[in-house]
Amino acid sequence: MDTTNAFPAFPDLTVDAGLGGACALPDWGVIRAVGADAASFLHGQLSNDVSHLGPAQARLGAYCTPQGRMLASFIYARPDAEEFWLACSHDVLAPTLKRLSMFVMRAKAKLTDATAELSVLGLVGAPAAAWLGVDAPARAWDKLDRDGAMVIRLPDSGLGGATIDRWLWIGPVAQTAAVLGALPALSPAHWQRLEVRSGVVPVVAQTSGQFVPQMLNYELVGGVDFKKGCYPGQEIVARSHYLGKLKRRAFLLTGDAAMAPAQEVFWSEDPGQPAGVVARAALDGPQHLALVELKITVTRSGTLHLGQPDGPALRVLPLPYALPHDAEPA
């Protein structure tokens, strides 16, 4: 892969490390699942474990088609034994809720859109850690119950060896103003850049139905349990893991041009067809960052371009977690 010096060095986290606080995340929504069979129903629908989810745990999981393509992704936890809150991109919530509800049938479970009742906030850095106190969840996907809300530790965000702590707060709308007022204001744009830097890709409307979980590195960030049993698409996902050699992965790319989900990326050595697609993007200082699903081979030679074969040049950056050896870029 050509790592030309046309790009400035990507921004490090020295500036980010001094920032922190909270911001509202209106692009998220929440599905509430309640009932004696809620756990078993969701366990049979999602790519990650639900039945054994403990009170101090959260999960990342995918909801897939029978062909293994992700329709939505969730961060979920249980406020009590027979209730679950599932946070997802708001633009996929309605169709996902409708589809899930079709399969409830005789199960004692009721699924509803709880977005009007539950807010989702992003918490970042030292101010948030101080506000949460000694009980702040310290490991990715740990969960804390606090005053009728839940706080979920997200994977660290980072580049260049530094990391920043992040949490997702999900709780009653009536508490939102108090939480935001207790912490410095954080811009949504800053949250988005930290999300991209984390290497965890949510499914949004523009990308729904496009990716098998491993194409977005879900098994590397805690989003797939290969021992949990059946769910829609499980056979395809498992086959890709145990029998197949993955040909596509999510990579972190930077460039001078703005990027957006569903934009195509082209490779100089095979310009006649797209080599990948943008899954998540954000502005990062003077540069733009994106998590892009790509053919693994295109990261090892030639150049990458946004939108068309002669479009703006892109460069591969290291992810904050290790890829399997056969997927590492050159």
Side-chain angles (χ1 to χ4, degrees), residues 79-98:
D80 59 50
E82 295 188 0
E83 182 173 351
F84 294 84
W85 296 350
L86 301 96
C88 65
S89 180
H90 190 269
D91 59 9
V92 299
L93 188 151
T96 303
L97 176 59
K98 181 178 180 180

Side-chain angles (χ1 to χ4, degrees), residues 14-314:
T14 55
V15 174
D16 289 357
L19 298 176
C23 65
L25 302 177
D27 54 331
W28 286 72
V30 182
I31 293 174
R32 175 187 280 121
V34 180
D37 296 334
S40 58
F41 171 73
L42 292 172
H43 191 78
Q45 299 295 322
L46 305 181
S47 65
N48 211 341
D49 173 75
V50 181
S51 292
H52 302 97
L53 184 63
Q57 297 175 313
R59 294 274 193 271
L60 171 70
Y63 179 50
C64 300
T65 68
Q67 294 74 37
R69 301 282 167 163
M70 298 170 66
L71 294 170
S73 57
F74 293 110
I75 294 174
Y76 56 93
R78 58 201 319 166
D80 59 50
E82 295 188 0
E83 182 173 351
F84 294 84
W85 296 350
L86 301 96
C88 65
S89 180
H90 190 269
D91 59 9
V92 299
L93 188 151
T96 303
L97 176 59
K98 181 178 180 180
R99 186 182 178 98
L100 278 169
S101 298
M102 290 171 55
F103 297 101
V104 172
M105 299 181 185
R106 297 181 181 179
K108 295 178 181 178
K110 182 178 181 180
L111 278 63
T112 57
D113 181 352
T115 305
E117 306 161 44
L118 297 171
S119 291
V120 183
L121 309 179
L123 311 182
V124 173
W131 180 74
L132 290 169
V134 296
D135 295 326
R139 298 178 303 175
W141 312 123
D142 281 355
K143 188 261 285 186
L144 168 70
D145 292 314
R146 177 170 172 156
D147 300 327
M150 59 175 64
V151 181
I152 298 168
R153 177 63 179 256
L154 299 176
D156 292 338
S157 179
L159 283 175
T163 60
I164 292 181
D165 302 338
R166 303 180 306 130
W167 297 266
L168 203 65
W169 182 95
I170 307 172
V173 169
Q175 295 184 25
T176 303
V179 176
L180 293 175
L183 290 165
L186 187 77
S187 75
H190 186 77
W191 175 265
Q192 292 297 331
R193 70 196 263 192
L194 294 179
E195 283 278 86
V196 172
R197 289 179 178 194
S198 76
V200 180
V201 190
V203 174
V204 297
Q206 300 96 316
T207 59
S208 181
Q210 293 197 39
F211 307 122
V212 170
Q214 290 100 315
M215 292 179 181
L216 298 185
N217 305 339
Y218 261 50
E219 87 282 21
L220 305 180
V221 293
V224 181
D225 183 342
F226 291 105
K227 300 178 181 179
K228 67 171 288 290
C230 294
Y231 57 89
Q234 180 266 340
E235 184 176 344
I236 304 298
V237 176
R239 186 183 304 144
S240 298
H241 179 71
Y242 290 113
L243 301 178
K245 183 177 181 180
L246 286 172
K247 297 181 179 181
R248 309 182 75 96
R249 282 284 186 184
F251 295 89
L252 183 62
L253 271 60
T254 186
D256 292 328
M259 294 176 268
Q263 277 188 292
E264 293 177 332
V265 171
F266 289 80
W267 182 39
S268 60
E269 296 187 14
D270 186 12
Q273 60 181 338
V277 62
V278 176
R280 181 170 200 140
L283 178 65
D284 195 89
Q287 295 288 292
H288 295 266
L289 285 180
L291 292 162
V292 181
E293 182 266 358
L294 286 170
K295 296 177 181 177
I296 294 169
T297 54
V298 309
T299 66
R300 295 171 176 160
S301 63
T303 57
L304 297 171
H305 300 269
L306 179 67
Q308 54 193 25
D310 60 349
L314 301 171

